[in-house]
Amino acid sequence: MFIAINQLNKQFLDKDKNPSTVLKDIDLQIEKGEFVSILGPSGCGKSTLLSIVAGLTEATGGEILVNGTAIKKPGKDRGMVFQEAALFPWINVLENVMFPLKKEMSKSEATEQAKKYLRMVQLSNYLDHYPHELSGGMQQRVAIARALAMDPEILLMDEPFGALDEQTRSRLHGQLENIWMETKKTVLFVTHSISESIKLSDRIIVMGTRPGTVLTDIKVDIPRPRDKHKEAMIKIEEHVMSYLKKEIDKVVSEELNHETSI
Amino acid sequence: MKPVYKRIIFLVAILVLWELGGRLGLWAEIILPSPTNVFTAVYVGITDMTLVYDLIASFRRLIIGLTIALVIGTSIGVLIAKSKTADDTIGSTLLAFQSVPSIVWLPLAIMWFGLNDQAVIFVVILGGTFVMALNVRTGIKNVSPLYLKAAQTMGSKGIDLFIRVIFPASVPYLVTGSRLAWAFAWRALIAGELLTTGPGLGYTLQYASDFGDMSLVIGVMIIIGVIGAVVDQLIFQRIEKSVARRWGL
């Protein structure tokens, strides 16, 4: 198995020093080249899970193996795209994409590599622009090019299109799908949008809250591009919704209880 | 009307009233010399080169002092931002030092270095160092965690992370720190020069005062004010604005 998440647990200490469990016994196997969405309501720990895979957060139990090696730290084998583009404002678009390449290749090679991925996200005309001169969607495309430029085996995406407007998001879905088919990366895509996950992924991991667990693992067997198969998409959406509804109800009732107990 | 026209009309009006008041005998020339006499005094000072030498001498002290202040301030700032122990010890003391006007160090400085350039430069250094250190510390502590995470996923850590991400990310604070350091240093310089030997703008101010040359006193005051405003608005505020825009603040 390419990525193996075994019995992963994560606890935080809350402000009263009580341990609270964010992730409980997560087991997940992902094959090379798969596009996997992790879907769940806010607070289910899906971003934490991704952060642990990235090596930015430490798990309190269990392990994550990539190609059989345990993950402890961030590494260039895993590129990450955050909800905010996180571009560095003091350097231009090209230099941002070259950032991860500085050490391992010559300047001209790095420039070529960066330009190649900027072409892929169709931003070749913006090489010397600074991040503040770009729209949110363009910034996010630069961030994707930057993550791809170091040629990672895995692309981790934490609600990358969450802050964008609907039209931009739908355009970027198409671009991401093309990039994925072209580069054959393994993608782990965190989202709270059901339609987004159905449109993009091979598999949807539905997570529940408090503690975060894997509720179900749904295979999406619809030919791409999927916009032409609306009926099949709606069917899966209903299936996913049946799992999520219980979770959302649980969150709402907990919040109500919390309110009355104050 | 454009603000610049309003400003010009305002200044002209003040000059006219100031000149008229003197000519109508509302106040004695020694209390408040007229603008024409002030400008004559400045003109003479510039043509016989005395004010030019003063300016050169003052700027030499300022540039030496401010450069040292920025280097030391930045180093202390980085140290206290990165080391908890340094922050708990040096960091808390800095605020106390910052609230003392640096000119109070002059008596000690004169004992240590003598009545000379070095004493003034020492006071200038103290004027700029602390405010720079405090701003650098704030800048480094306020680097967005998102930048750090993003850089880490791209294999950056340790010194590389500091040089390529943390330091450039805190540039807005470095600029603000430099601007405040300049302002404090400029005040410290003039105060220090008032009490030491020339040449220097502060020294000439004191010298003119001793000889009752109020035209020159006001002339030097205007020079000090104009330089202060010009450096602040034309240099530092512009840099600050363009940095803030690019950094998306």
Side-chain angles (χ1 to χ4, degrees):
Chain A
M1 201 49 61
F2 183 52
I3 304 176
I5 301 176
N6 300 325
Q7 289 290 305
L8 197 75
N9 278 278
K10 175 68 186 172
Q11 292 181 334
F12 282 119
L13 291 181
D14 66 12
K15 55 180 186 292
D16 305 321
K17 303 272 179 202
N18 299 319
S20 84
T21 304
V22 185
L23 296 171
K24 191 169 160 50
D25 300 338
I26 305 283
D27 279 307
L28 199 56
Q29 321 293 322
I30 295 164
E31 277 179 61
K32 205 171 169 84
E34 257 190 320
F35 195 125
V36 176
S37 282
I38 301 171
L39 178 73
S42 46
C44 72
K46 55 191 190 294
S47 288
T48 308
L49 176 60
L50 201 72
S51 181
I52 297 173
V53 179
L56 293 170
T57 306
E58 258 185 79
T60 30
E63 58 174 7
I64 296 179
L65 303 175
V66 172
N67 267 336
T69 317
I71 297 289
K72 292 274 176 245
K73 289 198 179 96
K76 290 189 175 184
D77 55 330
R78 285 151 287 142
M80 178 112 175
V81 179
F82 301 85
Q83 180 168 2
E84 288 161 85
L87 302 176
F88 302 131
W90 53 90
I91 45 181
N92 66 27
V93 165
L94 181 64
E95 289 161 338
N96 262 289
V97 178
M98 283 166 67
F99 185 93
L101 308 175
K102 277 264 163 72
K103 271 196 206 151
E104 53 204 39
M105 49 180 84
S106 73
K107 199 165 175 210
S108 58
E109 280 176 306
T111 312
E112 274 320 300
Q113 178 102 337
K115 280 183 177 167
K116 175 179 143 196
Y117 286 100
L118 279 164
R119 254 196 312 278
M120 201 179 272
V121 295
Q122 296 167 11
L123 284 173
S124 294
N125 291 332
Y126 293 87
L127 300 183
D128 49 6
H129 281 59
Y130 282 86
H132 77 273
E133 298 167 322
L134 305 180
S135 70
M138 287 158 89
Q139 290 187 12
Q140 205 54 282
R141 276 145 68 195
V142 178
I144 292 171
R146 182 175 69 173
L148 288 171
M150 52 187 187
D151 201 17
E153 295 191 82
I154 303 168
L155 189 57
L156 305 170
M157 307 184 88
D158 189 3
E159 303 197 34
F161 308 138
L164 304 176
D165 61 76
E166 193 61 46
Q167 292 96 316
T168 311
R169 193 182 311 165
S170 130
R171 257 207 3 256
L172 289 194
H173 284 158
Q175 277 196 2
L176 178 61
E177 203 173 14
N178 291 338
I179 289 171
W180 170 71
M181 291 195 281
E182 200 173 314
T183 59
K184 300 282 170 221
K185 302 287 177 201
T186 309
V187 180
L188 222 57
F189 189 97
V190 163
T191 179
H192 59 249
S193 158
I194 302 176
S195 59
E196 186 170 74
S197 63
I198 296 171
K199 198 165 154 191
L200 292 172
S201 39
D202 297 326
R203 272 167 69 197
I204 302 173
I205 312 296
V206 183
M207 286 185 65
T209 55
R210 298 158 210 235
T213 47
V214 173
L215 293 179
T216 184
D217 185 341
I218 298 169
K219 211 162 173 59
V220 185
D221 247 342
I222 309 173
R224 298 170 191 264
R226 291 180 167 158
D227 286 338
K228 291 178 185 152
H229 307 272
K230 288 266 189 273
E231 270 176 37
M233 283 174 78
I234 290 169
K235 236 178 164 171
I236 292 187
E237 182 158 347
E238 279 165 1
H239 185 55
V240 172
M241 201 58 211
S242 68
Y243 282 96
L244 277 183
K245 179 119 185 21
K246 278 177 254 164
E247 284 307 310
I248 293 164
D249 289 346
K250 196 166 104 187
V251 174
V252 170
S253 77
E254 262 181 42
E255 278 167 6
L256 286 177
N257 284 339
H258 187 65
E259 231 163 75
T260 48
S261 69
I262 287 174
Chain B
M1 200 192 295
K2 278 189 181 171
V4 61
Y5 293 133
K6 288 187 200 168
R7 244 173 258 158
I8 290 170
I9 290 172
F10 177 69
L11 283 176
V12 169
I14 286 183
L15 283 176
V16 168
L17 287 176
W18 178 8
E19 182 74 35
L20 271 180
R23 299 232 168 165
L24 295 172
L26 296 182
W27 52 75
E29 183 69 21
I30 185 71
I31 302 293
L32 184 63
S34 70
T36 39
N37 287 336
V38 169
F39 287 121
T40 311
V42 171
Y43 180 73
V44 169
I46 289 172
T47 46
D48 73 5
M49 296 299 279
T50 49
L51 281 177
V52 177
Y53 289 133
D54 285 337
L55 271 174
I56 294 170
S58 290
F59 265 93
R60 198 181 74 87
R61 295 187 189 110
L62 181 78
I63 289 166
I64 296 173
L66 188 57
T67 309
I68 297 175
L70 294 182
V71 170
I72 299 177
T74 306
S75 314
I76 296 177
V78 169
L79 178 71
I80 56 181
K82 284 284 155 197
S83 152
K84 177 99 173 59
T85 311
D87 197 18
D88 291 340
T89 51
I90 305 172
S92 54
T93 326
L94 275 188
L95 270 177
F97 276 112
Q98 175 56 25
S99 51
V100 178
S102 63
I103 191 63
V104 304
W105 288 86
L106 192 68
L108 274 179
I110 291 172
M111 291 302 290
W112 294 343
F113 303 107
L115 200 63
N116 54 26
D117 263 9
Q118 286 164 27
V120 179
I121 291 172
F122 178 75
V123 171
V124 171
I125 295 172
L126 285 180
T129 301
F130 304 125
V131 71
M132 186 64 184
L134 290 169
N135 270 278
V136 171
R137 169 178 173 269
T138 311
I140 291 176
K141 292 228 165 187
N142 279 341
V143 172
S144 159
L146 191 63
Y147 291 158
L148 301 181
K149 283 191 206 165
Q152 282 168 341
T153 63
M154 293 185 283
S156 183
K157 58 189 173 205
I159 298 280
D160 182 72
L161 182 68
F162 185 81
I163 293 174
R164 292 172 70 202
V165 180
I166 296 175
F167 200 72
S170 39
V171 160
Y173 288 87
L174 294 182
V175 173
T176 305
S178 308
R179 180 176 149 226
L180 293 172
W182 138 264
F184 281 109
W186 183 236
R187 286 156 179 73
L189 171 77
I190 302 298
E193 285 182 347
L194 277 175
L195 303 171
T196 55
T197 56
L201 283 176
Y203 171 76
T204 297
L205 185 75
Q206 183 61 43
Y207 178 85
S209 159
D210 289 346
F211 285 84
D213 186 354
M214 287 306 131
S215 302
L216 188 56
V217 167
I218 295 182
V220 172
M221 283 168 61
I222 291 175
I223 293 174
I224 292 170
V226 166
I227 291 175
V230 164
V231 172
D232 188 72
Q233 295 192 358
L234 290 190
I235 302 178
F236 283 109
Q237 287 195 16
R238 281 195 183 180
I239 300 176
E240 212 169 35
K241 262 185 205 157
S242 78
V243 162
R245 204 187 48 204
R246 188 186 286 182
W247 265 243
L249 300 174

